[in-house]
Amino acid sequence: MRWRNVLFAHWPVPVERVAQSLPDGLHVDTYDGSAWLGVVPFEMADIRPRGSPIGVSFNELNLRTYVINDGEPGVYFYNLDADDRLGVSIARRLFRLPYYRARMTVHREGSQTRFQSVRDHTNAPPASFRATYEPTGLPEPPRSDSLAQFLTERYRFYVADDRDRLYYADIEHPPWDLQPATVEFERNDLFEANGFTDPDSDRVVHFSPGVDVTAGRLHRR
C-alpha cells in the first residue's frame, strides 16, 4: 500500500491521561516527559496482497498514541475511520483494529488539502471532522532522536481484543520525508469520541507526501 498526503497533528498531554486508556501490557512512550496524542488524516492507496496487480484506495482518519511493550515501541490506535465499507470489515476482522465506517470528502487545490469526515458506523460514538492543511517547507527526513522522529518513525502497532488479549503487527517503509505545515481545524470530535477532552497544549504539525508500506501478519503478544 501507499500512505499519501499525510497530516500529522500532535499534542503533548499528561502521561496519566493516556495511561488510564491503554489495555493491560502497554505502557506510555514519552518524549520530554509527555505522552502524545496524534490526529492523522491521509489516503490509503493501492492496498493489495503481495503479488496482486489490483489494489483499492480509500481515505482514513485516526487518533493514535505511542506505547511500549517489553521494550518494543509502537503505535496504539483509538480509532481508524475510513470511507470504504469492505476495507473496514476486512481490517476489523483480520487485524482487530478499531475501524469505523465514515463518509469522507477530500478536496485538493494546489498544495492545500481540505479533509472532511462524518462517521456513520452503527453503534459507534459520533465523530465529525473538518480541517484544511498545507505544507510550508521542503520535505526532509526527521533528525535522529528528534520529536518528529519519535512521532512518525514507528514500525509496529498494538491492538487488544474484547477479552483484553494483546496483539501486534509489524510494518515496513522507508523513513518519512516531513514538511512543516499549517492546519486549521473547523471541527474535530475525535478526542471527545475517545473519552478525552481537547488538549490545551500547543500542537506540533507535519505533512508528508507519503511512503510505500508493507504490513505483516497479526501476532499474539
Side-chain angles (χ1 to χ4, degrees):
M1 71 189 85
R2 181 167 178 80
W3 296 344
R4 301 197 302 198
N5 299 310
V6 185
L7 176 74
F8 296 99
H10 286 94
W11 291 258
V13 295
V15 171
E16 59 273 13
R17 188 172 172 185
V18 171
Q20 63 188 6
S21 71
L22 298 177
D24 291 342
L26 293 183
H27 305 279
V28 178
D29 199 359
T30 64
Y31 191 94
D32 284 345
S34 293
W36 293 80
L37 291 175
V39 172
V40 184
F42 65 104
E43 180 186 3
M44 292 263 284
D46 195 25
I47 307 161
R48 52 192 168 89
R50 190 188 300 271
S52 172
I54 300 175
V56 298
S57 300
F58 55 82
N59 297 303
E60 182 177 309
L61 170 68
N62 65 62
L63 179 69
R64 57 197 263 181
T65 194
Y66 304 101
V67 295
I68 295 178
N69 173 262
D70 289 340
E72 293 290 343
V75 175
Y76 179 75
F77 293 105
Y78 294 101
N79 75 270
L80 304 100
D81 289 15
D83 62 356
D84 182 90
R85 290 181 178 273
L86 178 60
V88 166
S89 298
I90 292 172
R92 290 180 73 93
R93 185 172 67 252
L94 295 184
F95 290 99
R96 304 173 189 264
L97 285 164
Y99 265 94
Y100 300 100
R101 294 186 299 273
R103 302 189 309 274
M104 295 181 174
T105 59
V106 179
H107 177 71
R108 297 188 179 90
E109 185 173 347
S111 61
Q112 188 178 84
T113 299
R114 178 173 172 79
F115 194 110
Q116 300 182 79
S117 175
V118 178
R119 185 182 294 171
D120 62 359
H121 196 102
T122 304
N123 297 324
S128 295
F129 178 87
R130 293 192 301 273
T132 302
Y133 45 92
E134 184 174 15
T136 58
L138 297 176
E140 59 181 5
R143 297 190 308 275
S144 178
D145 297 324
S146 66
L147 174 60
Q149 184 186 59
F150 173 88
L151 296 172
T152 61
E153 295 299 327
R154 299 276 166 160
Y155 297 90
R156 173 170 291 187
F157 66 79
Y158 294 98
V159 293
D161 65 14
D162 54 8
R163 295 169 61 184
D164 210 28
R165 295 175 298 188
L166 194 63
Y167 296 82
Y168 72 92
D170 293 320
I171 62 172
E172 298 178 4
H173 63 73
W176 290 96
D177 280 332
L178 300 176
Q179 300 168 255
T182 60
V183 59
E184 178 183 354
F185 292 102
E186 299 174 43
R187 182 161 182 173
N188 179 12
D189 296 343
L190 297 187
F191 296 113
E192 181 180 358
N194 289 286
F196 296 103
T197 57
D198 287 352
D200 56 8
S201 51
D202 292 336
R203 60 185 179 239
V204 176
V205 182
H206 301 93
F207 177 87
S208 177
V211 293
D212 292 323
V213 182
T214 301
R217 295 179 180 273
L218 195 68
H219 303 277
R220 176 83 179 272
R221 191 65 178 166

